[in-house]
């Protein structure tokens, strides 16, 4: 019935646009423009004559028609432009792709699928396979271009890839520093990452069927191509944004390259970052100078045998012009202003550059507003993160007993989210063909008490405009409901107002059992060992193993910490040191980056007199951290302990 309604609406619009002008022209003729002063003067002298009243009605009729015509024209132009933009973003197939698609289509019409051949009572076609539908959105389109657009600016693809690596290093550092304890849900370092970071992660996430990027692709060329070796002045509407982009670019590279170094004056930091500059801290390639002279001293005092960037030059971002000798001999200087004695680039708001001396077009550089730059500096560890109220859910939900309806007695839905996510009915997995449906299932499982729809949509599709989120969320939840409705009448999702949750009386969630077991073990006063073993039994794998959704890391780490608490508690309560060591080794298998577990294991080995084994464990741990890109200084405590035990 959709097309008849659209046809009737189109006919009505045509009648409104064409009918009134034809009727007016036929009855009173075309509007006359001659003698307006005489007509106005006659109307003032005697406004209620029959001729003047007819004229007023005609003028109002033409004005009403003009308003309708204007409205229709504007709406039509908006829809046409939206269609043009969609066509411009539509990826067209190459000739080889078109040929392969045609062959595949012909094969699909003539060959029965394996599902059709094996479906039946003994072979239910209920598992998702190679036909999974991966949802494509604007973020994935951005990942295939030369850069990534975020709310606060634009990043080249290489810089965006480094953001993803920085996020990985950030969570590895948090895993390393965690000291297992019972109140793990109160950890402050489980706060979600800023929205800018989530949007970049979503845009650069590699699809499961795509080859991973090579490590070298993300760390080649710290400075933009064609960047003057001695330095550059930045002018134009994007000058400050480009300076922020360069600041973030170099500090991201410093996480992977020990030679990357950047010096910035305090006043320049305040100009670029605003109030957030108060939380800027040195370290990991960043030096903060009080003045331009101080910055010059920091650079000239650096040993020349340890170059900080390709070409042997550190990067300086200054609030004033430096001495000429510094420009030509020591450093690459960036001044967000016109620079008479050096090259000056005009930077547009979108990052496109142009050399003012030659008027030649330059590279497109990273541009960031103060909020986006502060978000990324939080990830690199150079900026104290803001205090956030939102964090992974700490409340332990109660898993209620099932209350099946009349026609579904004994049936039970189960959401398995520890390990590979799946939705099962009486042990049989249901088909969830869209990756967004699996993600929504895990997200609802992580929020047992429910979550507002806008919070859920922004988490699942970060970086997308708000007007596109509602439709995506409804489509995704409809996919979940449809998958369940095809097999059972049990309700999967409970909605109260604008808040969604998995139905607590019809869905059994393994993550909820883990949380309940952890809370019981932390509060029990008798037979605590049995309670902690129940936590270990409930942990069947990482939360949504194999998936890299931007919101997932904090919840995955919170679940992992529960089982680390269990292994540590069992080891602490075990009088036999070798059995205690076995518990710690099991915990290390769950998280091979945790320093506290390794420290405890080294202590036990040293106490048993097995100094060689203690040294080997410490050395393997150190090599593992180095291979992951972490600073070996993080294992200084274990290294010192190893020195004492040997």
């Amino acid at each position: 019935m959709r097309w008849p309604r659209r046809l009737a609406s189109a006919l009505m619009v045509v009648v409104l646009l064409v009918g009134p002008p034809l009727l007016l022209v036929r009855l009173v003729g075309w509007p006359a423009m001659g003698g307006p002063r005489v007509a106005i003067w006659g109307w003032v002298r005697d406004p209620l004559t029959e001729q003047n009243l007819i004229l007023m009605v005609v003028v109002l009729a033409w004005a009403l028609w003009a308003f309708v015509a204007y409205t229709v024209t504007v709406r039509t132009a908006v829809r046409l432009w939206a269609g043009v933009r969609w066509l411009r973003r539509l990826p067209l197939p190459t000739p080889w792709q078109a040929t392969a698609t045609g062959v595949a289509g012909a094969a699909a019409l003539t060959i029965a699928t394996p599902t059709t051949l094996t479906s039946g009572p003994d072979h239910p076609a209920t598992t998702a396979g190679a036909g999974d539908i991966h949802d494509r959105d604007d973020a994935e389109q951005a990942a295939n271009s030369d850069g990534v657009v975020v709310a606060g600016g634009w990043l080249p693809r290489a810089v965006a890839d480094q953001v993803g690596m920085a996020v990985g290093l950030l969570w590895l550092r948090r895993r390393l520093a965690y000291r297992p304890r019972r109140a793990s849900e109160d950890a402050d370092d489980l706060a979600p990452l800023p929205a800018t970071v989530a949007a970049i992660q979503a845009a650069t996430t590699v699809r499961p069927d795509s080859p991973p990027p090579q490590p070298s692709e993300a760390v080649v060329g710290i400075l933009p191509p064609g960047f003057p070796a001695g330095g550059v002045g930045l002018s134009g509407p994007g000058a400050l944004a480009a300076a922020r982009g360069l600041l973030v670019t170099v500090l991201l590279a410093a996480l992977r390259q020990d030679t990357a170094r950047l010096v910035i004056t305090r006043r320049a930091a305040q100009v670029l970052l605003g109030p957030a500059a108060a939380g800027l801290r040195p370290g990991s390639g960043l030096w903060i100078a009080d003045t331009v002279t101080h910055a010059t001293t920091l650079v000239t005092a650096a040993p020349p045998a340890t170059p900080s960037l390709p070409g042997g030059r550190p990067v300086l971002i200054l609030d004033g012009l430096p001495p000429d000798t510094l420009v030509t001999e020591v450093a690459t200087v960036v001044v967000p202003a016109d620079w008479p004695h050096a090259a000056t680039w005009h930077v547009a708001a979108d990052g496109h550059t142009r050399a003012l001396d030659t008027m030649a077009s330059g590279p497109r550089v990273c541009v960031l507003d103060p909020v986006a730059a502060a978000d990324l500096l939080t990830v690199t560890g150079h900026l104290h993160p803001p205090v956030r109220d939102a964090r992974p859910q700490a409340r332990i939900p109660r898993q209620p007993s099932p209350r099946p309806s009349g026609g579904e007695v004994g049936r039970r839905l189960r959401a398995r989210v520890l390990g590979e996510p799946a939705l099962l009915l009486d042990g049989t997995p249901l088909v969830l063909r869209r990756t967004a449906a699996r993600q929504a299932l895990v997200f609802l499982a992580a929020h047992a008490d429910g979550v507002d729809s806008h919070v859920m949509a922004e988490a699942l599709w970060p970086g997308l405009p708000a007007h596109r989120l509602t439709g995506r969320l409804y489509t995704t939840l409809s996919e979940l409901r449809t998958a369940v409705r095809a097999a059972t009448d049990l309700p999967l999702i409970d909605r109260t107002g604008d808040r969604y949750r998995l139905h607590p009386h019809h869905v059994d969630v393994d993550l909820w059992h883990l949380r309940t077991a952890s809370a019981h073990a932390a509060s029990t006063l008798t037979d605590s060992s049995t309670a902690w073993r129940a936590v270990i039994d409930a942990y069947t794998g990482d939360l949504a193993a194999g998936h890299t959704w931007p919101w997932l890391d904090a919840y995955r780490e919170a679940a992992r910490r529960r089982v680390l608490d269990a292994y540590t508690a069992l080891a602490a309560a075990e009088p036999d040191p070798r059995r205690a060591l076995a518990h710690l080794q099991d915990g290390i298998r769950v998280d091979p980056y945790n320093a506290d577990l390794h420290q405890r294991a080294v202590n036990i080995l040293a106490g048993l007199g097995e100094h060689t084994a203690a040294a080997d464990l410490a050395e393997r741990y150190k090599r593992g951290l180095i291979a992951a890109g972490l600073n070996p200084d993080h294992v200084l405590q274990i290294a010192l302990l190893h020195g004492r035990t040997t």
Side-chain angles (χ1 to χ4, degrees), residues 104 151 176 362 395 415 428 561 582:
L176 180 150
R395 180 178 176 182
T428 302
R561 290 182 179 184

Side-chain angles (χ1 to χ4, degrees), residues 9-67:
S9 299
L11 290 176
M12 183 62 69
V13 171
V14 171
V15 170
L16 288 176
L17 290 178
V18 178
L22 291 178
L23 185 62
L24 289 172
V25 170
R26 187 175 183 83
L27 293 179
V28 298
W30 290 97
M33 301 301 295
R37 294 183 180 178
V38 176
I40 294 175
W41 178 249
W43 179 82
V44 171
R45 288 188 304 172
D46 195 359
L48 299 181
T49 64
E50 181 180 359
Q51 181 181 3
N52 286 339
L53 290 176
I54 294 175
L55 179 61
M56 291 174 59
V57 172
V58 171
V59 170
L60 290 176
W62 278 108
L64 180 61
W65 175 84
F67 175 76

Side-chain angles (χ1 to χ4, degrees), residues 219-575:
V219 291
V220 294
I222 298 175
L223 299 178
F227 200 88
V232 66
L234 302 176
S235 66
L240 294 179
R244 297 185 198 100
L246 186 63
L247 169 66
V248 170
T249 299
V250 176
L251 295 183
L252 284 170
L255 297 177
R256 287 282 183 177
Q257 301 181 14
D258 294 336
T259 57
R261 183 156 54 100
L262 183 141
V263 181
I264 186 171
T265 60
R266 295 190 185 277
R267 187 172 182 275
Q270 294 170 358
V271 171
L272 296 181
L273 302 177
L280 192 66
R281 54 189 178 190
S284 299
L286 175 64
W287 278 260
I288 301 176
D290 296 326
T291 62
V292 173
T293 303
H294 184 201
T296 304
T297 304
L298 289 176
V299 171
T300 55
T306 57
S308 60
L309 287 174
R313 296 173 182 268
V315 173
L316 274 73
I317 300 180
L318 306 177
D319 59 284
L321 299 182
D324 293 342
T325 54
L326 180 62
V327 176
T328 58
E329 296 179 3
V330 181
T332 298
V333 182
V334 177
V335 180
D338 291 335
W339 193 350
H341 302 295
T344 299
W345 283 4
H346 179 275
V347 185
D350 60 0
H352 286 98
T353 61
R354 185 178 71 253
L356 292 183
D357 53 350
T358 62
M359 300 305 294
S361 297
R364 189 179 184 184
V365 299
C366 177
V367 284
L368 300 169
D369 68 7
V371 175
D375 286 349
L376 296 180
L377 291 175
T378 299
V379 175
T380 63
H382 295 92
L383 196 66
H384 289 284
V387 178
R388 301 177 184 267
D389 295 331
R391 65 182 60 182
Q393 185 176 4
R395 180 178 176 182
I396 307 300
R398 180 177 62 89
Q399 183 74 60
S401 58
R403 299 179 184 176
S405 57
E408 299 288 343
V409 176
R411 308 204 78 184
R412 184 72 164 165
L413 287 167
R414 180 170 181 261
R416 185 185 66 201
V417 296
L418 295 174
E420 175 61 29
L423 182 62
L424 304 98
L425 177 64
D426 299 334
T428 302
L430 304 178
V431 175
L432 297 178
R433 297 185 63 85
R434 291 190 176 274
T435 57
R438 294 196 194 99
Q439 185 178 181
L441 176 67
V442 179
F443 191 84
L444 289 173
H447 296 78
D449 288 338
V451 61
D452 291 339
S453 60
H454 71 278
V455 174
M456 182 175 179
E458 290 176 355
L460 268 57
W461 298 284
L464 285 186
H467 68 274
R468 298 190 57 187
L469 295 178
T470 302
R472 284 179 177 269
L473 180 61
Y474 290 160
T475 301
T476 300
L477 296 180
S478 177
E479 165 78 10
L480 281 173
R481 291 191 178 101
T482 301
V484 174
R485 194 179 300 120
T488 178
D489 293 333
L490 292 174
L492 172 67
I493 299 174
D494 179 42
R495 177 180 178 182
T496 304
D498 203 30
R499 194 171 183 84
Y500 294 89
R501 64 172 179 170
L502 294 179
H503 204 295
H505 298 298
H506 298 287
V507 186
D508 185 80
V509 183
D510 55 358
L511 178 62
W512 298 354
H513 287 293
L514 173 66
R515 291 174 173 174
T516 302
S518 177
H520 172 68
S523 59
T524 187
L525 299 177
T526 59
D527 199 11
S528 60
S529 295
T530 300
W532 286 117
R533 289 191 182 94
V535 176
I536 295 173
D537 293 339
Y539 187 82
T540 56
D542 288 343
L543 181 64
H547 294 277
T548 56
W549 304 314
W551 61 269
L552 182 60
D553 287 316
Y555 297 91
R556 176 181 288 167
E557 178 62 14
R560 182 189 291 118
R561 290 182 179 184
R562 296 182 187 278
V563 73
L564 296 186
D565 292 348
Y567 282 122
T568 304
L570 289 176
E574 180 59 61

Side-chain angles (χ1 to χ4, degrees), residues 73-141:
T73 302
V74 170
R75 290 182 63 86
T76 303
V78 170
R79 292 195 175 188
L80 288 175
W81 177 243
V84 171
R85 293 178 61 188
W86 178 81
L87 289 174
R88 290 175 61 185
R89 293 196 303 265
L90 183 64
L92 298 178
T94 63
W96 283 106
Q97 291 173 330
T99 303
T101 303
V103 174
L109 293 175
T110 58
I111 301 176
T113 63
T115 301
T116 305
L117 296 175
T118 60
S119 295
D122 297 330
H123 300 87
T126 53
T127 57
D132 295 352
I133 300 175
H134 299 284
D135 303 276
R136 299 185 62 84
D137 51 32
D138 290 345
E140 292 183 356
Q141 294 286 350

